[in-house]
């Protein structure tokens, strides 16, 4: 059964627009940084700043790819009815590769770099100015990525964190070069690049897991299972699979429901869907297949008259003796209850039959000599067998 997507679609559209604004801001800021870094690098003859400027050019390409993926993630068609949300993860994968490559290039360049720097004070102040802007933007975008669980924004924030680290390295390089320390910058570059490689590895790992339709972590699955099992009507969970696609979660569930009435079973499943959506963040697409629970125990209702004998008519049932037998035919339980509708004049048959259905009766036993064929058809339609006592 498919989830009603009206409100979900509005939320997804809002998230998409929100992420697009962040990516546009990221591209514009990278263009500004690329131009200013290259200009400042050539002015001060600082190779590290020039390399950082070249890296900003690659950031423009990376951010543009992620922007396009976010823009088209919600596009739906006949072939992709749930959208192209995995474009975010694909873009995050390539971003992780770009980060590793850029880190490698910066490391190699820093190890080989040794040029006299002009206008050192200006170079340091310029880099501090750039660092402040980078830090603020990285902090705000990381909060947005966490709030909306977006791998695309997470990837871009990781890229900005890398840029911030490179800027710190550049500042140390210029300052310690000013102080005459030769190898300090090289060591700092190596340490930072190790952390950058670790972040890139985690980004690539998470993206690959999503692209391969790996299940979400056990905490989410346990929470979903707990919610489903809180409904008494659920007999068993035959399948529970939740996966990520971009920043949304997609669930596939197969249940057995203790309910013969399909309308009521449908209502139970809708309540389960609403509860899962309410309590599990970003669960936007949910498909639940359900079927009646198979009960191998059979429950028969033996109709008794006022004398305790087996009744000859349904109308004469003063008490009902309920017997439950297992699949081997062994008696499991026996109990008697008075017929609550024995004194009812109008609508007796319908009310009495409804009561038996609620007791999950599979068979009615009484000593009938003649019974209306329409009533037999009604009972059999409710999967209740009519038997005559021996």
């Amino acid at each position: 059964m498919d989830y009603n997507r009206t409100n979900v679609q509005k939320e997804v559209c809002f998230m998409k627009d929100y992420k697009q604004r962040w990516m546009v801001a990221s591209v514009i800021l990278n263009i500004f940084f690329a131009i200013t870094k290259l200009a400042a690098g050539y002015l001060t003859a600082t190779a590290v700043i020039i390399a950082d400027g070249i890296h900003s050019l690659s950031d423009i390409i990376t951010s543009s790819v992620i922007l396009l993926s976010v823009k088209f993630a919600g596009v739906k068609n006949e072939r992709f009815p749930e959208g192209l949300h995995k474009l975010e993860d694909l873009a995050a994968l390539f971003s992780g590769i770009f980060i590793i490559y850029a880190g490698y290039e910066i490391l190699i360049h820093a190890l080989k770099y040794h040029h006299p720097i002009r206008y050192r004070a200006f170079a340091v102040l310029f880099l501090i100015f750039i660092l402040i802007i980078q830090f603020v933007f990285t902090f705000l975008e990381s909060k947005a990525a966490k709030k909306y669980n977006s791998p695309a924004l997470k990837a871009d924030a990781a890229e900005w964190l890398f840029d911030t680290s490179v800027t710190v390295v550049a500042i140390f390089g210029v300052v310690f070069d000013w102080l005459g320390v030769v190898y300090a910058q090289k060591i700092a570059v190596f340490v930072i690049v190790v952390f950058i490689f670790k972040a890139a590895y985690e980004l690539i790992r998470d993206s690959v897991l999503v692209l391969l339709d790996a299940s979400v972590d056990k905490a989410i699955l346990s929470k979903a299972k707990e919610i489903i099992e809180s409904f008494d009507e659920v007999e068993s969970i035959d399948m529970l699979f939740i996966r990520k696609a971009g920043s949304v979660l997609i669930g596939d569930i197969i249940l057995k429901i203790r309910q013969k009435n399909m309308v009521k079973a449908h209502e139970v499943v809708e309540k389960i869907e609403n509860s899962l959506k309410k309590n599990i963040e970003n669960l936007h697409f949910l498909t639940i297949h359900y079927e009646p629970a198979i009960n191998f125990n059979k429950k028969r209702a033996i109709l008794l008259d006022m004398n305790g004998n087996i009744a000859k008519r349904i109308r004469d049932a003063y008490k009902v003796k309920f017997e439950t037998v297992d699949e081997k035919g062994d008696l499991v339980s026996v109990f008697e209850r008075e017929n609550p509708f024995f004194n009812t004049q109008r609508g007796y048959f319908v009310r009495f039959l409804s009561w038996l259905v609620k007791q999950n009766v599979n068979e009615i036993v009484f000593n009938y000599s003649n019974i209306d064929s329409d009533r037999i058809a009604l009972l059999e339609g409710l999967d209740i067998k009519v038997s005559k006592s021996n």
Side-chain angles (χ1 to χ4, degrees), residues 260 352-361 379 382 384:
K260 294 180 181 179
F352 180 62
L353 181 59
S354 298
W355 179 64
L356 292 179
V357 170
K358 290 180 180 178
Q359 307 305 313
N360 296 316
V361 168
L379 289 165
L382 295 170
I384 297 176

Side-chain angles (χ1 to χ4, degrees), residues 92-110:
L93 173 62
F94 285 114
S95 295
I97 296 172
F98 268 120
I99 292 172
I100 289 178
Y101 175 75
Y104 170 78
E105 289 295 326
I106 293 297
L107 178 62
I108 296 301
H109 181 85

Side-chain angles (χ1 to χ4, degrees), residues 98-360:
F98 268 120
I99 292 172
I100 289 178
Y101 175 75
Y104 170 78
E105 289 295 326
I106 293 297
L107 178 62
I108 296 301
H109 181 85
L111 293 176
K112 293 181 179 179
Y113 155 72
H114 185 69
H115 300 286
I117 301 174
R118 301 194 301 263
Y119 313 118
R120 292 185 176 91
F122 170 78
V124 172
L125 291 175
F126 170 77
L127 291 172
I128 291 174
F129 169 74
I130 295 293
L131 180 64
I132 292 172
I133 298 176
Q134 288 174 332
F135 179 80
V136 172
F137 188 84
T138 303
F139 175 75
L140 295 176
E141 190 176 34
S142 296
K143 286 186 65 177
K146 184 177 181 180
K147 180 178 180 180
Y148 292 97
N149 193 28
S150 171
L153 293 185
K154 183 180 178 181
D156 196 57
E159 181 75 20
W160 279 103
L161 179 62
F162 173 79
D163 291 342
T164 302
S165 302
V166 173
T167 302
V168 170
V169 170
I171 292 173
F172 274 102
V174 174
V175 170
F176 284 111
D177 181 82
W178 199 347
L179 297 175
V181 179
V182 178
Y183 297 106
Q185 181 184 190
K186 302 182 191 304
I187 296 173
V189 169
F190 179 80
V191 172
I192 291 175
V193 168
V194 168
F195 285 103
I196 291 169
F197 284 168
K198 181 178 180 294
Y201 161 74
E202 292 174 352
L203 191 63
I204 293 172
R205 179 199 61 195
D206 293 344
S207 301
V208 169
L209 287 175
V210 173
L211 291 171
L212 294 177
D213 281 333
S215 177
V216 295
D217 58 73
K218 291 183 179 179
I220 296 177
L221 291 176
S222 297
K223 187 175 183 180
K225 184 178 179 182
E226 182 180 344
I227 292 170
I228 296 170
E229 290 179 340
S230 67
F231 290 83
D232 295 333
E233 297 86 349
V234 176
E235 171 74 20
S236 64
I237 303 173
D238 292 346
M239 187 184 82
L240 174 58
F241 179 56
I242 302 177
R243 57 191 171 88
K244 281 191 67 178
S247 54
V248 304
L249 297 180
I250 300 174
D252 293 289
I253 302 171
I254 299 178
L255 303 175
K256 279 190 174 67
I257 303 293
R258 297 189 192 98
Q259 182 58 254
K260 294 180 181 179
N261 188 303
M262 296 305 290
V263 174
K264 292 184 178 180
H266 181 85
E267 292 174 354
V268 171
V269 170
E270 280 196 343
K271 290 179 182 178
I272 294 173
E273 287 181 356
N274 293 333
S275 182
L276 287 169
K277 177 180 177 290
K278 180 180 178 181
N279 293 285
I280 298 181
E281 189 177 3
N282 297 316
L283 181 58
H284 290 162
F285 302 103
L286 183 60
T287 301
I288 298 181
H289 301 280
Y290 62 92
E291 57 187 38
I294 299 175
N295 185 4
F296 292 103
N297 289 347
K298 300 295 182 182
K299 192 173 187 180
R300 69 168 67 103
I302 303 173
L303 309 187
L304 305 175
D305 60 20
M306 295 185 70
N307 297 319
N309 300 318
I310 297 178
K312 295 181 179 180
R313 301 184 305 164
I314 293 178
R315 187 68 185 83
D316 296 335
Y318 178 70
K319 286 186 177 181
V320 179
K321 182 180 181 180
F322 294 101
E323 294 183 347
T324 302
V325 296
D326 60 22
E327 56 185 319
K328 296 180 180 179
D330 296 330
L331 195 62
V332 176
S333 66
V334 179
F335 65 92
E336 291 185 6
R337 290 185 63 180
E338 289 187 0
N339 178 0
F341 304 103
F342 181 73
N343 295 318
T344 301
Q345 298 300 320
R346 300 182 62 181
Y348 167 81
F349 179 76
V350 173
R351 293 184 181 184
F352 180 62
L353 181 59
S354 298
W355 179 64
L356 292 179
V357 170
K358 290 180 180 178
Q359 307 305 313
N360 296 316

Side-chain angles (χ1 to χ4, degrees), residues 25-41 49-57 59-60 126-138 159-160 163-164 167:
S26 179
V27 172
I28 292 173
L29 195 58
N30 266 320
I31 292 173
F32 169 74
F33 282 164
I35 295 173
T36 55
K37 286 176 183 178
L38 289 173
I49 298 179
I50 295 174
D52 196 10
I54 294 173
H55 174 65
S56 293
L57 291 175
D59 288 343
I60 296 172
F126 170 77
L127 291 172
I128 291 174
F129 169 74
I130 295 293
L131 180 64
I132 292 172
I133 298 176
Q134 288 174 332
F135 179 80
V136 172
F137 188 84
T138 303
E159 181 75 20
W160 279 103
D163 291 342
T164 302
T167 302

